Amino acid sequence: MQELEITTSLQISKPITEVYEAIVDPAKMSKYFIAQGSERMQEGKSVEWTFPEFPDMIIKVKIIRLKSPELIIFEWEGSKGISLEVNIRLEGRPENTTLVRVSEGKMKDSEEGIIWLKRNTEGWANFLACLKAYLEYDINLRKGAFDFMRNN
């Protein structure tokens, strides 16, 4: 049976170290993606994230590997009851830009897997767009964007 994996990428017009810090530092991440993070990402530790539209839901994130400024690997409950690995790879590009590649997975090619693939692909594309808007223009695209989901 084929396995499903999410892959997405986006180039950001900022240096690699600035992009890396915006991901591992919860104070920065809370300006574009999460509402709050328990602490800075550190290899071998776990952190907790809350999201603006779901303030009572706590997402636990186990940091597997960090290699500053090019690699962030963590595990989280990517689908209900299933721990999945997320790889964020940063590549410095010409003119102080950074290519950010995100992959998550893998899940079986099943109904549950297809639902996960759709939901989390959308989520990672949103993450990258929000990261770009924050770093390049100091805009929080997420603010209010998902308020409609609070009661669903």
Side-chain angles (χ1 to χ4, degrees):
M1 180 178 272
Q2 182 180 351
E3 291 185 306
L4 304 172
E5 181 177 16
I6 294 168
T7 58
T8 187
S9 56
L10 190 69
Q11 187 163 307
I12 297 175
S13 296
K14 289 292 178 176
I16 191 171
T17 54
E18 193 173 335
V19 177
Y20 180 86
E21 282 301 313
I23 298 170
V24 300
D25 181 347
K28 292 181 175 145
M29 193 185 252
S30 68
K31 294 181 179 174
Y32 70 92
F33 193 61
I34 61 174
Q36 186 175 352
S38 61
E39 62 183 286
R40 180 182 175 84
M41 288 184 178
Q42 294 179 51
E43 194 168 305
K45 294 217 171 186
S46 292
V47 298
E48 294 180 343
W49 292 341
T50 59
F51 288 84
E53 60 275 4
F54 307 113
D56 297 331
M57 182 176 17
I58 297 172
I59 306 296
K60 295 178 191 249
V61 178
K62 181 181 177 187
I63 313 308
I64 304 300
R65 184 156 184 249
L66 296 176
K67 184 178 179 189
S68 178
E70 61 223 22
L71 180 65
I72 301 160
I73 300 175
F74 63 84
E75 286 182 352
W76 69 351
E77 187 177 16
S79 187
K80 188 165 178 75
I82 300 173
S83 181
L84 295 171
E85 185 174 283
V86 174
N87 284 268
I88 302 175
R89 297 186 182 277
L90 306 167
E91 179 186 327
R93 306 283 288 185
E95 299 180 26
N96 271 330
T97 64
T98 304
L99 179 60
V100 183
R101 299 179 193 270
V102 178
S103 65
E104 180 183 3
K106 298 178 175 177
M107 293 268 296
K108 291 181 181 175
D109 185 358
S110 62
E111 184 176 343
E112 179 184 12
I114 291 169
I115 291 168
W116 161 80
L117 184 72
K118 178 186 178 300
R119 181 187 62 238
N120 286 27
T121 298
E122 182 181 285
W124 286 116
N126 177 265
F127 168 81
L128 290 174
C130 290
L131 176 62
K132 182 176 180 70
Y134 165 66
L135 288 174
E136 292 183 13
Y137 305 102
D138 198 27
I139 296 170
N140 185 346
L141 288 180
R142 193 169 179 106
K143 186 176 182 181
F146 297 102
D147 286 351
F148 69 94
M149 295 176 73
R150 287 185 182 184
N151 296 324
N152 292 340

